[in-house]
């Protein structure tokens, strides 16, 4: 079963709007990473947030982590058509020994 | 500084054949992980190599095997191909035995395998 599950499965917004994607997981983690994937291509690393961190920023991206709720969110501000992609969260834990991905959120930004 | 590279880009095989995929990690990285990504799904962990040994393995049959060379590059071998093996195969590199856990993973562009 998937450790990380993204929500919603699909999101469609207009250029300039903000996009929020959520990730829930089931067991304790050491870190959580967000990735972007353009259609049929490799994954691009966006942000890594460790279990002792609550929020991280990178450019137009803001990631939060709530370990008590076992959830994370990715906010993309002032979205652009080029942000159209699938977004995945991946959890990493010592117990699992590997990163576990969800099935992603497909974001469409309309120009 | 070259990132993670994979070859070939695309591959078409028939059922029962064998395939070898190759990956060169990002400069300075010593850990390689392989993932299978079916259409519309997230990547599924196959296995991870560090110091030329398989360190972690996901829920994949023995038909999936790998190797890591002294220069940290890696191969993924799949025997007796099935139609269900058609997928994008992704290689990721990181640093250290627990690299996937504590450091960023950098992914290659993937190899698209089609089994007919």
């Amino acid at each position: 079963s998937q450790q990380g599950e993204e929500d919603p499965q699909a999101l469609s917004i207009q250029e300039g709007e903000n996009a929020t994607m959520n990730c829930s997981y089931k067991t304790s983690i050491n870190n959580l990473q967000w990735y972007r994937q353009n259609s049929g291509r490799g994954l691009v690393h966006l942000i890594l947030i460790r279990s002792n961190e609550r929020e991280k920023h990178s450019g137009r991206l803001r990631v939060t982590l709530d370990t008590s709720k076992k959830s994370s969110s990715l906010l993309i501000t002032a979205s652009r058509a080029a942000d159209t992609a699938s977004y995945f969260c991946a959890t990493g834990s010592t117990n699992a020994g590997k990163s576990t991905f969800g099935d992603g959120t497909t974001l469409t930004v309309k120009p | 500084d070259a990132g993670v590279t994979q070859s070939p880009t695309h591959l078409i095989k028939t059922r029962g054949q064998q395939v070898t995929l190759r990956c060169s990690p990002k400069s300075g990285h010593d850990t390689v992980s392989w993932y299978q990504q079916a259409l519309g799904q997230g990547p599924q962990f196959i296995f991870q190599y560090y110091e030329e040994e398989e360190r972690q393995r996901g829920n994949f049959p023995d038909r999936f095997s790998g190797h890591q060379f002294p220069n940290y590059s890696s191969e993924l071998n799949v025997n007796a191909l099935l139609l269900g093996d058609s997928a994008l195969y992704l290689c990721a590199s990181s640093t250290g035995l627990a690299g996937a856990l504590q450091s960023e993973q950098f992914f290659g562009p993937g190899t698209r395998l089609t089994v007919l």
Side-chain angles (χ1 to χ4, degrees), chain A residues 17-46:
Chain A
E17 295 181 337
N18 295 341
T20 300
M21 288 158 268
N22 302 297
C23 171
S24 60
Y25 56 92
K26 298 173 183 174
T27 61
S28 62
I29 63 172
N30 293 95
N31 66 59
L32 187 145
Q33 304 186 52
W34 284 91
Y35 293 85
R36 184 185 75 234
Q37 183 178 40
N38 291 89
S39 180
R41 307 187 68 176
L43 280 74
V44 174
H45 186 272
L46 298 176

Side-chain angles (χ1 to χ4, degrees), chain B:
Chain B
D1 177 24
V4 181
T5 60
Q6 291 186 245
S7 63
T9 306
H10 295 86
L11 204 52
I12 299 175
K13 292 285 188 178
T14 57
R15 280 178 297 175
Q17 285 189 312
Q18 179 264 345
V19 68
T20 298
L21 311 181
R22 296 177 177 82
C23 171
S24 291
K26 180 179 170 62
S27 177
H29 286 186
D30 54 12
T31 303
V32 174
S33 302
W34 286 93
Y35 293 81
Q36 179 195 66
Q37 185 179 23
L39 198 62
Q41 297 184 13
Q44 298 290 312
F45 177 78
I46 302 175
F47 42 54
Q48 181 183 75
Y49 277 84
Y50 173 75
E51 290 187 338
E52 302 179 48
E53 290 188 15
E54 182 183 296
R55 301 290 180 159
Q56 297 284 343
R57 189 178 182 91
N59 188 26
F60 279 81
D62 292 343
R63 297 187 299 109
F64 289 77
S65 63
H67 189 76
Q68 186 178 34
F69 300 93
N71 66 353
Y72 309 121
S73 66
S74 176
E75 288 182 349
L76 164 65
N77 301 292
V78 186
N79 295 322
L81 285 167
L82 304 174
L83 295 178
D85 294 332
S86 294
L88 181 67
Y89 287 85
L90 297 163
C91 167
S93 73
S94 53
T95 56
L97 178 60
L101 309 178
Q102 300 296 338
S103 66
E104 300 173 8
Q105 284 192 102
F106 289 81
F107 281 79
T111 294
R112 173 72 63 186
L113 172 65
T114 302
V115 182
L116 302 176

Side-chain angles (χ1 to χ4, degrees), chain A residues 51-94:
Chain A
S51 58
N52 61 352
E53 298 174 311
R54 291 296 168 258
E55 187 170 312
K56 284 189 84 168
H57 295 79
S58 177
R60 295 184 294 111
L61 307 180
R62 181 172 77 99
V63 168
T64 62
L65 178 63
D66 187 335
T67 53
S68 66
K69 295 181 179 179
K70 292 185 170 59
S71 67
S72 174
S73 68
L74 169 66
L75 168 67
I76 303 174
T77 60
S79 63
R80 305 167 182 168
D83 294 329
T84 295
S86 292
Y87 292 81
F88 295 89
C89 68
T91 57
S93 68
T94 303

